[in-house]
Amino acid sequence: MPPHTPAEGGEYRMTAPPLLTILRYPDPRLHTVAQPVQAVDERIRALIERMLATMYDANGIGLAATQVDVHERLVVIDVSEERNQPLVLINPVIEWASPETRKGEEGCLSVPGIYDGVERSIAVKVRALDGAGQSRVIEAEGLLAVCIQHEMDHLMGKVFVEYLSPLKQGRIKTKMVKAQREATRA
Ligand code: K1U
Ligand code: ZN
């Protein structure tokens, strides 16, 4: 049995879907603005399964389609301890964000090894289609609210490090480029 329940409306898959490659910062494709999903069809359902498998394999709590070089408004999230409560957001729209904000530590699968504080609304209300194409409203707070805002930034072509000072951004870019150069040399 795969380590997660099926995407809403789907069926259990007995073989793991192939994993997707996660783009690494500062790849310019991470700055692409995603377009709305036109239809929740078989292609999108297969993409959801592959994104969930990729997110679980990387021990992430979220993944935006932008990060796997698909520029459509789709994110997957699972903030549960048991890693068995996948959430699929298609064409998400933030309907309300709390004026109260909090600075919390964030990481990103596209910027491995870098963690820093970002100021976010502490609660959000989001409207989105689920994996079955049904319209849902999600009221989120805590880590889920932070993760939704982080993933929706990805869909707008924004990576969390862009909230940091130019000095920090420069250092992170240098570190990432160096790490990639060393990885390709090995
Ligand atoms: O979008 C992504 O790259 C996934 C990212 C989501 C995220 C983590 C923390 C705060 C906001 C958004 C990750 O899953 S980073 C992976 C990670 O190691 C992590 C997991 C839980 C909490 C903090 C970091
Ligand atoms: Zn990220």
Side-chain angles (χ1 to χ4, degrees), residues 62-64 67 107-111 150-151 154 158-160:
L63 187 69
Q67 293 175 276
C108 182
L109 297 176
S110 294
V111 200
H150 177 114
E151 301 310 331
H154 275 305
K158 187 161 182 169
V159 181
F160 89 103

Side-chain angles (χ1 to χ4, degrees), residues 9-31:
E11 287 176 6
Y12 273 115
R13 175 194 277 273
M14 297 314 289
T15 56
L19 300 180
L20 296 157
T21 301
I22 300 175
L23 298 177
R24 294 271 176 102
Y25 182 81
D27 191 311
R29 291 171 288 183
L30 286 168
H31 302 304

Side-chain angles (χ1 to χ4, degrees), residues 49-113:
E49 289 303 320
R50 292 186 73 182
M51 284 177 59
L52 282 168
T54 304
M55 177 190 75
Y56 287 121
D57 180 73
N59 292 320
I61 56 168
L63 187 69
T66 308
Q67 293 175 276
V68 293
D69 204 19
V70 176
H71 303 287
E72 295 177 67
R73 292 185 58 81
L74 164 62
V75 308
V76 297
I77 292 174
D78 190 342
V79 296
S80 69
E81 288 273 317
E82 303 76 17
R83 317 287 286 146
N84 61 0
Q85 287 172 48
L87 183 64
V88 175
L89 303 180
I90 298 169
N91 298 339
V93 175
I94 294 196
E95 294 199 328
W96 176 81
S98 66
E100 192 184 339
T101 61
R102 188 176 300 145
K103 194 171 189 171
E105 187 102 325
E106 295 192 15
C108 182
L109 297 176
S110 294
V111 200

